[in-house]
Structure formats: C-alpha cells, structure tokens
Amino acid sequence: MPQQRTQRILTLALPIMGGMLSQSLLNLVDAILVGSLGETVLAGVGVGGYAIFMLSAMIAGLSSGVQSQVARRHGAKEFTLRALPLNAAILLALMVTLPLSFLGWFNSNWLIASINQTTKVQEVANSYFQWRIIGLLPIALTLSFRGYWHGIQKTGVYFRIIIFTHALNILLSIWLIHGGLGVAALGATGAALATSISITAGALVWGWLTWQSARPSGFLVKLPNFNLLWQTLRLAAPNSLQQFLFAVSYAVLFWFLGQISTASVAVGHVLVHLSLLLILPGVGLGMAAMTLVGNSLGENNQEEAHSWGWEGMRLAALI
C-alpha cells in the first residue's frame, strides 16, 4: 500500500517537476542570451523580470483555486460540472489582469525606479517590463487551464505544452535578441517580446485542448454565478498573497544588490534562478498532493485526504 501511494503521487508530480525544471532552465538560457549583451542589460532584464513576477504573483492563486475545486468534483464523479470553476477563473483573470496590465504599463517607470536606482538599468528594465506585461492575461489563462488539467489528474498535458512553449521561446529569443531575417536586433526588448509571444501561443494551445475535451464538463457553457466566483477567489487569494510576498522579498533583495553595483544585480539574477531549482520537487509534490486530497474529499474520504497530505510531506522531506 505505501509503495502504491508513493507511485501514484509521483506519477502526478514528476511531469509537474519536469515542466518547472524546464522553466528554470529556460530562465538560465535567457540569462545566457541576454548576458552576452553586457551586465547592464542582464541586470535590467533581472529587475524587469522580478517586477513582472510581482504582478503575476497576484494571479498565481488561480491555479490552486481551480485545481482544488476541480479535483473535488472529479473525485465526487460530478463530471458534467468539473469545468465550471475554470469558467470562474477565466472571468476573474479578465477582471484582474486587464486593469492591472493597463496600470502597470503606464506606471512602469515608478515601479522599476523603486527596485533599482541606476538610470541605464532602469531604461532596459522599463522596456523589458512593458513588453512582458502584455502577456499577463495569457499567464493568468495558462494558470487557470493548468489548474483544471491538474485537477483531473492529467499533469502530462502541462509538461507537453510547457515544453512547446519554451522551445518556441528559445527560438524567438535567439532571433529577436540578435536580429536576422529582416528584423533588427532588439536586445532585451526582443527577449521580452519572445516570452510574451510564446506564452500567448501556449495559452492558445491550452484553450484549444480544453475546448476539445472539456465542453461536456461545462467549459464555457454558461457564465459563472456569484457564489462560484467568490469561492474561486476565496481559494485563490491566500496562495496569491503568499506568492506576492515571496516576489516582493526578491524585489527587496534586488534593491539591496542595486546599492552595491550593476554587476551585483546581474549576478544575483542568475543565482536566484539557480536557487529556485531547489524548491521544484516540493512544489511538484504539493500540486500532486492537492489533486489527491481534493479527489479524496470529493469521495467523502477525509482520512484518505489527510493521508495524501502527509505522503506529500514525507516524499518532499526525503528529496
């Protein structure tokens, strides 16, 4: 029995870990591509990236908000109602990210200046931030779709789509950063544009796959009611707050590094991405455990739900 439980949670967790590992490796590849342009550009991309990290953290909870509800309905075999929380998350994503993107675009100078005081770094960071913020809605949609597919225990879909997204990002980054095929070299702006385009493409793939398979589960069949919107927001808000405070802590770190030198900011950008590799197993196991806990609660088996939480902690501690 313990071996079966371990196998089941790892079956769900390993694709999530793989996808997140590819994200961290992509961040390092971006650092290599942008780093060839000099420490000022690398520092600017780091500052702009963590400014985006703070804004995207505000909607990060959509994934867990959807996943926990979908997993519970899946466990209760309410298959025609599984996608309703996803509808609520998509509406919340539109309500939050559109005004947030607008405010971020027109207040980017203030936000960047609060993180770094070096004029040349600010110029790079501001341009990078503005071209990244146009991808905020696709990020929110991706998080929502990911929560649905994790909730129905199909985590391999996430792995395949994120590999596609990252491969496209690398190709576009090489092209747009350094130029070619009639396009001038765009530097850090090219890196931001490549990321936004690839994230948008990934969100479209998520949407197409979900449309193909989840319509019988209620996907985009009707507008969510207030109670469902509130339930999704209530579940998403704590995780979003946690992620936001986590992002702010890194912004504070970059403020301190900026007091030392531009080179310190550039090096910090690389080292932070390396350090984030260490938390990936825990995150993947946590997401897998969330699905299994929700399934067990849907089956009205609270003892089993409790056990899945401990199983996730045990594996995370061992790793």
Side-chain angles (χ1 to χ4, degrees), residues 95-307:
M95 293 169 62
V96 173
T97 59
L98 292 180
L100 193 60
S101 299
F102 180 84
L103 290 172
W105 179 280
F106 289 103
N107 292 279
S108 60
N109 287 326
W110 171 82
L111 181 59
I112 296 299
S114 66
I115 301 175
N116 188 276
Q117 295 74 45
T118 305
T119 303
K120 291 184 178 180
V121 173
Q122 288 178 6
E123 291 174 358
V124 175
N126 189 59
S127 176
Y128 182 86
F129 174 84
Q130 288 186 319
W131 285 105
R132 279 293 308 275
I133 203 170
I134 63 176
L136 193 60
L137 176 58
I139 290 174
L141 295 176
T142 295
L143 289 167
S144 302
F145 288 126
R146 188 182 77 183
Y148 171 78
W149 287 91
H150 285 0
I152 62 173
Q153 300 190 29
K154 293 185 178 181
T155 56
V157 175
Y158 163 69
F159 179 74
R160 292 192 290 272
I161 293 179
I162 203 168
I163 291 298
F164 158 75
T165 303
H166 292 165
L168 179 61
N169 194 354
I170 291 173
L171 292 174
L172 289 175
S173 293
I174 293 172
W175 177 36
L176 296 176
I177 290 173
H178 300 289
L181 301 176
V183 175
L186 299 176
T189 299
L193 189 57
T195 301
S196 292
I197 291 173
S198 61
I199 289 172
T200 302
L204 291 173
V205 174
W206 275 114
W208 179 76
L209 286 176
T210 308
W211 176 260
Q212 293 292 314
S213 66
R215 291 183 67 193
S217 297
F219 177 58
L220 298 184
V221 171
K222 62 180 181 179
L223 287 173
N225 58 37
F226 176 79
N227 288 336
L228 184 56
L229 283 172
W230 172 249
Q231 174 73 355
T232 304
L233 181 62
R234 187 178 68 83
L235 291 170
N239 186 258
S240 289
L241 178 60
Q242 178 192 12
Q243 293 295 322
F244 177 71
L245 293 175
F246 182 70
V248 168
S249 70
Y250 276 113
V252 172
L253 170 64
F254 273 87
W255 183 87
F256 279 115
L257 292 175
Q259 305 303 305
I260 303 171
S261 68
T262 298
S264 297
V265 178
V267 172
H269 174 55
V270 176
L271 294 180
V272 164
H273 284 306
L274 286 172
S275 70
L276 291 177
L277 287 170
L278 301 175
I279 70 171
L280 296 181
V283 174
L285 288 166
M287 288 185 173
M290 186 192 305
T291 292
L292 295 168
V293 167
N295 286 172
S296 297
L297 290 174
E299 295 167 353
N300 200 28
N301 190 339
Q302 295 189 13
E303 184 178 350
E304 183 78 0
H306 184 78
S307 298

Side-chain angles (χ1 to χ4, degrees), residues 46-117:
V47 171
Y50 285 100
I52 281 291
F53 185 25
M54 283 194 294
L55 296 189
S56 60
M58 295 181 182
I59 42 96
L62 288 174
S63 181
S64 59
V66 173
Q67 183 178 342
S68 56
Q69 294 183 85
V70 170
R72 192 159 187 165
R73 292 174 187 224
H74 183 75
K77 295 181 170 52
E78 298 176 350
F79 299 127
T80 60
L81 304 175
R82 288 185 306 187
L84 296 185
L86 175 58
N87 297 340
I90 290 174
L91 183 55
L92 287 171
L94 290 167
M95 293 169 62
V96 173
T97 59
L98 292 180
L100 193 60
S101 299
F102 180 84
L103 290 172
W105 179 280
F106 289 103
N107 292 279
S108 60
N109 287 326
W110 171 82
L111 181 59
I112 296 299
S114 66
I115 301 175
N116 188 276
Q117 295 74 45

